[in-house]
Amino acid sequence: MSEEKNIMQEDQYGGAQIQVLEGLEAVRKRPGMYIGSTSASGLHHLVYEIVDNSIDEALAGFCTEITVTIGEGDIITVLDNGRGIPVDIQPQTGRPALEVVFTVLHAGGKFGGGGYKVSGGLHGVGASVVNALSEWLQVRVHKEGVIYEMKFARGAITQEMKIVGKTEHTGTEVTFKPDAEMFDTTVYDYETLHTRLREKAFLNAGLRIVLRDVRGDEVREDEMCYDGGIREFVRWLSEGKSPLHDEVIYLQGKKDDDVAEVALLYNDNYNETMMSFANDINTTEGGMHEAGFKAALTKVLNAYGIKTGAIKGDDRVSGEDCREGLVAVISVKLPEPQFEGQTKTKLGNARMRTLVESMVSTKLAEYLDENPAVAKIILEKALLASRAREMARKARESVRNKSGLESGSMPDKLKDCNERDPALCEIYIVEGDSAAGSANQGRDSRFQAVLAMWGKMLNVEKARPDRVYNNDKLNPVIMALGAGIGEEFNLEKLRYHKIIIMADADVDGSHIRTLLLTFFFRFMRPLIENGYVYSAVPPLYKLTRGKTERVAYSDEERDRISAEMRGDDPNRKIEISRFKGLGEMNKEELWETTMNPETRTLRRITLGDAIAADRTFSLLMGEEVEPRRAWIEENAHSVSNLDI
Ligand code: TSJ
């Protein structure tokens, strides 16, 4: 009888295990469903998934420090000083909670206190997904004086939870090696992680996040901790720009479990930089909180102008006028956020519009009353913007006539393609005459167009919008794309659905890339939001063995291919040469390595890349000398950093 019972238990246990494996097997069958894609973005997503757990622990008030290490072989370690994942047996499963976290889909955060849980989209799919997509994963929990350890391989348990030592502190440490079978690339990009983790540090005031890269000989480390939270975020986004007032305006409010905070600072240029977040997730498509902020800002500035007599009669400043030169960060936290929109990054909860709008209406009006000097500066800026907008509209009309957008004439520097369906058309914007020459000859002219570009950066930062429209570098780009610019930009008229920036990884190339990204970001933002902008990825090395030639896009690939070509014959001589620039490749090489859709690599530009480029641009073109010097020093060894 007792034996029978034992068997029953084993069966049940086996059944549960099989279910678990089936769950994680689903993740391995269709990884894109769980992490968005299996490209570099999906690979980086693994880190965010793990770090988000530590941030939840920080939000709950139990964790103050998170360290992320990129190790040799792109092995990631995330360590926090929280309470440690619970290790006790769960009554529902009969298994330790720690095991459940790593083996059951969506188990993360199901136990423990409520907090602000994130739902929907790709966010918070949990540690089990990372486990399923890792060649191996190890977790150590410091808790109650001892260290618990557990190990997995591709989601399956390889070592049951056991105690491996004593400890005096508490915390969780997870180490994993992404499974090369699951991803297009397993190489982590420091800047991508740095940008994302810095954002998390800004959004969680006082939380210390350390990023370390110990790959190679040179250790890189950044420590991010901002006691000022989003105030410091706004200050950071404004670096290189000339502020119009000394202190960042900070407003906050709450209702029930919802909290909202806003930080803003005006500067003397003409574009707006607004970033919004819901539960620390960047809502790039905006949503209710942004709408509430915009409505309140416009309402308050108009009311203040009318009250003080600065706005007379029927004159009003528009929403856009109120946001010219504005850098703002909006952050809300709420239980059960709804994420909508194409990329699930638009906040849908209508009550957040009400909360942000009423909070900003009241508190900003108060602020302006208490700081009349600042109020006067902001209002004058908006009034000036209103007048300039009218001027810009006239300039745009004249450009439209001159550049023949209407007549359909094209710039001299454009070698167009034959195909007319925009969805099938690509345009390579190429830096330098010789590279453009090779691209012209190497392209498939049925669907690939080439536009040559060169020369110094135009200062889009300080130029009035009407000067940008008329600029001789950018005007051919506007004409070739055919979709107009600024408020009149119309995606439906766009002539190419792939806009590919092809530039060398040197200073000139970086300049052109930064200029174009900044220009697209400020004047044709839907291009970036819809994922139409790409960066070509030219190879770095050419390897030759006798008559065989191959190319490599990274140092790792160079070494791998070199070993492959050498095969079993260690004496074979492999010649390795470095491509110095695009102009050095002949047309066949350029086609094969960088333009042929079958063999090339393209990097899709994200809004984050564009924001980074915008900031770089401000630093490089702004009036302050120090940020420029620092940037050049930091990027002297690898200017391609600009590309993030
Ligand atoms: F989930 C995970 F494995 F990805 C992970 C979780 C990875 C890392 C690096 C850290 C964490 C994590 C989890 N850090 N801190 C926590 N905390 C809890 O899971 C926890 C601890 C105690 C209690 C409690 O109610 O006593 C509740 C929770 C959710």
Side-chain angles (χ1 to χ4, degrees):
M1 185 66 201
S2 78
E3 216 181 305
E4 201 181 316
K5 202 173 162 195
N6 248 333
I7 291 166
M8 285 271 296
Q9 268 181 352
E10 289 236 313
D11 263 348
Q12 273 170 0
Y13 173 67
Q17 276 298 87
I18 287 164
Q19 252 185 5
V20 161
L21 285 175
E22 277 172 353
L24 296 193
E25 204 43 52
V27 178
R28 291 180 61 83
K29 274 214 183 83
R30 310 182 68 185
M33 289 263 296
Y34 297 86
I35 52 162
S37 83
T38 55
S39 63
S41 116
L43 179 77
H44 290 77
H45 201 92
L46 299 183
V47 179
Y48 312 147
E49 277 302 331
I50 297 296
V51 169
D52 280 352
N53 289 281
S54 297
I55 290 178
D56 280 348
E57 185 74 356
L59 285 172
F62 299 104
C63 164
T64 58
E65 191 162 331
I66 303 169
T67 304
V68 178
T69 307
I70 316 170
E72 212 64 73
D74 292 275
I75 291 166
I76 298 286
T77 299
V78 181
L79 168 73
D80 74 30
N81 65 348
R83 290 167 294 177
I85 303 176
V87 292
D88 39 22
I89 304 287
Q90 272 198 319
Q92 309 97 293
T93 55
R95 310 299 307 161
L98 178 68
E99 176 181 321
V100 174
V101 166
F102 284 95
T103 54
V104 179
L105 275 177
H106 297 281
K110 281 272 167 63
F111 51 92
Y116 296 111
K117 279 289 155 272
V118 166
S119 69
L122 303 169
H123 313 296
V125 293
S128 61
V129 169
V130 178
N131 191 20
L133 300 176
S134 294
E135 186 184 319
W136 55 262
L137 181 147
Q138 169 189 295
V139 53
R140 286 203 182 124
V141 173
H142 292 243
K143 210 177 171 78
E144 295 147 5
V146 292
I147 305 169
Y148 299 87
E149 186 186 78
M150 187 159 187
K151 294 181 183 180
F152 309 84
R154 302 196 162 100
I157 299 167
T158 53
Q159 179 196 297
E160 301 278 352
M161 186 176 86
K162 70 175 185 193
I163 292 172
V164 294
K166 290 186 183 168
T167 182
E168 287 178 349
H169 56 268
T170 66
T172 305
E173 181 185 57
V174 171
T175 304
F176 64 94
K177 179 173 168 57
D179 190 349
E181 288 173 11
M182 291 285 122
F183 294 95
D184 309 341
T185 168
T186 51
V187 180
Y188 276 100
D189 179 57
Y190 187 89
E191 274 313 320
T192 302
L193 292 179
H194 187 195
T195 301
R196 178 66 162 252
L197 294 175
R198 182 171 43 217
E199 204 170 277
K200 296 283 184 190
F202 278 130
L203 291 167
N204 296 281
L207 174 63
R208 182 181 308 277
I209 301 182
V210 178
L211 175 62
R212 287 163 53 78
D213 187 349
V214 301
R215 295 172 296 185
D217 302 330
E218 227 179 295
V219 175
R220 209 175 151 190
E221 180 169 316
D222 280 282
E223 190 180 306
M224 295 153 282
C225 181
Y226 307 103
D227 290 325
I230 63 168
R231 293 179 201 78
E232 284 189 65
F233 199 171
V234 164
R235 186 71 73 187
W236 183 83
L237 287 167
S238 304
E239 259 177 42
K241 302 179 179 174
S242 313
L244 292 182
H245 46 106
D246 292 336
E247 68 172 15
V248 174
I249 303 172
Y250 176 77
L251 315 163
Q252 70 178 132
K254 60 176 78 161
K255 183 169 193 291
D256 304 326
D257 288 335
D258 301 335
V259 294
E261 51 173 350
V262 171
L264 51 145
L265 177 63
Y266 281 89
N267 60 66
D268 73 350
N269 58 42
Y270 307 105
N271 57 289
E272 70 175 81
T273 305
M274 176 152 27
M275 297 188 77
S276 67
F277 299 85
N279 293 3
D280 290 358
I281 288 157
N282 189 187
T283 36
T284 51
E285 294 175 285
M288 292 297 172
H289 51 342
E290 262 193 33
F293 172 72
K294 289 178 182 176
L297 182 69
T298 313
K299 193 172 74 184
V300 170
L301 289 187
N302 275 294
Y304 187 83
I306 291 164
K307 189 170 85 178
T308 57
I311 296 178
K312 296 187 182 70
D314 287 340
D315 279 355
R316 290 292 178 274
V317 283
S318 72
E320 292 200 22
D321 297 335
C322 294
R323 298 193 299 275
E324 198 180 275
L326 173 67
V327 175
V329 171
I330 304 159
S331 169
V332 299
K333 299 207 167 114
L334 66 160
E336 290 171 46
Q338 272 146 27
F339 292 104
E340 304 171 346
Q342 243 180 342
T343 55
K344 294 271 177 265
T345 54
K346 183 175 184 181
L347 184 66
N349 308 66
R351 68 177 197 278
M352 294 319 286
R353 185 194 164 107
T354 315
L355 172 62
V356 176
E357 187 169 346
S358 73
M359 183 273 280
V360 174
S361 294
T362 317
K363 305 238 162 123
L364 184 60
E366 267 171 36
Y367 182 91
L368 296 181
D369 283 335
E370 285 163 19
N371 299 272
V374 177
K376 185 158 178 274
I377 291 168
I378 294 174
L379 202 61
E380 270 169 12
K381 172 84 176 162
L383 284 163
L384 207 62
S386 168
R387 272 170 239 138
R389 197 170 301 282
E390 184 56 22
M391 273 162 51
R393 193 183 57 75
K394 289 188 181 135
R396 242 189 342 259
E397 269 163 21
S398 93
V399 176
R400 207 174 24 230
N401 299 336
K402 239 192 306 181
S403 69
L405 271 181
E406 237 79 305
S407 70
S409 81
M410 283 296 138
D412 300 340
K413 292 292 174 193
L414 176 72
K415 298 280 178 260
D416 212 351
C417 54
N418 305 326
E419 175 61 51
R420 281 288 157 258
D421 178 358
L424 304 175
C425 291
E426 310 180 347
I427 182 168
Y428 276 81
I429 303 181
V430 185
E431 180 243 329
D433 254 345
S434 58
S438 299
N440 275 337
Q441 293 170 356
R443 72 192 170 127
D444 184 335
S445 61
R446 283 175 303 178
F447 65 97
Q448 290 180 320
V450 171
L451 179 69
M453 240 190 127
W454 60 87
K456 263 189 59 171
M457 264 209 260
L458 163 80
N459 197 341
V460 211
E461 179 82 10
K462 291 283 179 253
R464 281 230 80 100
D466 50 289
R467 294 244 343 264
V468 175
Y469 302 134
N470 280 310
N471 177 259
D472 62 346
K473 296 258 161 14
L474 295 172
N475 191 260
V477 178
I478 304 170
M479 284 164 72
L481 298 189
I485 182 173
E487 287 155 66
E488 289 173 3
F489 182 81
N490 182 357
L491 210 52
E492 279 169 23
K493 290 199 178 153
L494 183 65
R495 299 178 62 245
Y496 314 89
H497 281 191
K498 281 204 173 72
I499 298 152
I500 303 163
I501 302 171
M502 183 153 82
D504 282 326
D506 61 9
V507 176
D508 285 342
S510 295
H511 274 188
I512 291 285
R513 220 191 326 265
T514 311
L515 168 64
L516 280 171
L517 285 186
T518 305
F519 171 66
F520 290 149
F521 175 65
R522 292 192 186 168
F523 295 96
M524 300 187 180
R525 192 166 305 181
L527 283 187
I528 294 171
E529 287 169 343
N530 287 280
Y532 290 148
V533 184
Y534 299 81
S535 184
V537 183
L540 291 177
Y541 300 101
K542 176 152 83 179
L543 298 89
T544 317
R545 196 201 79 187
K547 286 210 169 63
T548 316
E549 277 185 5
R550 303 209 19 208
V551 296
Y553 294 87
S554 66
D555 292 2
E556 291 77 20
E557 201 180 21
R558 175 199 60 198
D559 298 342
R560 186 168 54 73
I561 292 175
S562 162
E564 238 172 71
M565 288 173 90
R566 198 172 291 118
D568 294 331
D569 186 353
N571 291 322
R572 253 229 250 263
K573 210 166 155 53
I574 312 288
E575 212 175 294
I576 299 177
S577 63
R578 201 184 162 91
F579 282 107
K580 291 213 184 60
L582 292 161
E584 240 178 72
M585 280 189 247
N586 63 35
K587 61 180 186 186
E588 288 84 11
E589 282 173 331
L590 197 60
W591 163 255
E592 215 36 60
T593 61
T594 317
M595 299 182 80
N596 179 357
E598 302 288 327
T599 47
R600 73 184 175 195
T601 307
L602 294 183
R603 237 177 56 72
R604 182 176 264 158
I605 301 297
T606 65
L607 208 60
D609 296 336
I611 290 169
D614 186 80
R615 187 174 166 280
T616 301
F617 199 96
S618 298
L619 288 177
L620 291 178
M621 301 304 277
E623 270 146 26
E624 289 173 52
V625 176
E626 181 51 26
R628 185 159 46 239
R629 195 198 58 75
W631 185 87
I632 291 167
E633 199 157 88
E634 207 174 289
N635 291 276
H637 55 287
S638 64
V639 192
S640 58
N641 271 354
L642 233 191
D643 205 358
I644 315 268

